[in-house]
Amino acid sequence: RCDSASFDSLPGIGAKLSVRIVKYRRLLGGFARIDQLKEVYGLRPETYELIKNKIFADSSFIKRIDINTADYRELLRIHYLDNYEVTAILKYRRLKGNITGLSDLVSNKIINAEKAAKISPYLSCENGHK
């Protein structure tokens, strides 16, 4: 929830990088984990080490998307999913019905376990009861 001025006050973070952090957070829909800061362009590993104990990620502000009702555009907004994966998710839903958990996608090789861990804070399977 920090603004760019708050990030700018951290060691090693300047005005440009603080704006990039806020933009990236907006792109993601919120930070679920602190280590997502490593994905921000221009944030050096040594800077991350300096700030990681001075910040925290509050995932309660992330608005989760229901994977069983979301359309193509909604799913594509999840930064970690690409066109192929979104298309495969929609095809899986059409052929098999509702998704009960991300393990359905992993076991059917639509995404790998690492990707499932990355996207899990951004998705829900509320309508996943078969």
Side-chain angles (χ1 to χ4, degrees):
R1 292 182 5 188
C2 291
D3 60 8
S4 57
S6 299
F7 283 115
D8 192 16
S9 69
L10 293 169
I13 306 288
K16 286 183 181 179
L17 190 52
S18 63
V19 169
R20 260 191 237 135
I21 291 169
V22 171
K23 283 183 180 179
Y24 190 65
R25 180 184 62 204
R26 193 174 315 118
L27 174 73
L28 288 175
F31 288 121
R33 300 174 319 279
I34 294 169
D35 69 340
Q36 288 175 296
L37 284 171
K38 294 178 187 178
E39 300 167 11
V40 175
Y41 176 78
L43 184 78
R44 297 187 338 249
E46 47 277 8
T47 302
Y48 173 77
E49 291 299 319
L50 280 173
I51 66 170
K52 73 179 182 182
N53 295 322
K54 299 179 186 320
I55 56 175
F56 68 95
D58 186 354
S59 62
S60 67
F61 290 97
I62 296 172
K63 184 180 178 212
R64 297 169 68 119
I65 297 169
D66 186 341
I67 196 167
N68 289 307
T69 59
D71 63 18
Y72 180 84
R73 293 178 83 184
E74 288 174 300
L75 289 173
L76 201 54
R77 272 191 251 144
I78 297 172
H79 178 67
Y80 300 114
L81 292 175
D82 62 30
N83 294 330
Y84 171 79
E85 292 161 334
V86 169
T87 302
I89 290 168
L90 294 174
K91 184 174 182 178
Y92 178 88
R93 262 184 12 204
R94 195 171 53 252
L95 296 173
K96 302 280 187 174
N98 283 345
I99 296 166
T100 58
L102 293 178
S103 59
D104 290 352
L105 303 179
V106 173
S107 64
N108 285 284
K109 299 187 182 349
I110 294 171
I111 58 173
N112 61 32
E114 181 183 340
K115 175 116 7 155
K118 280 185 172 185
I119 66 173
S120 67
Y122 304 98
L123 290 172
S124 70
C125 298
E126 293 174 20
N127 295 311
H129 306 294
K130 291 186 178 180

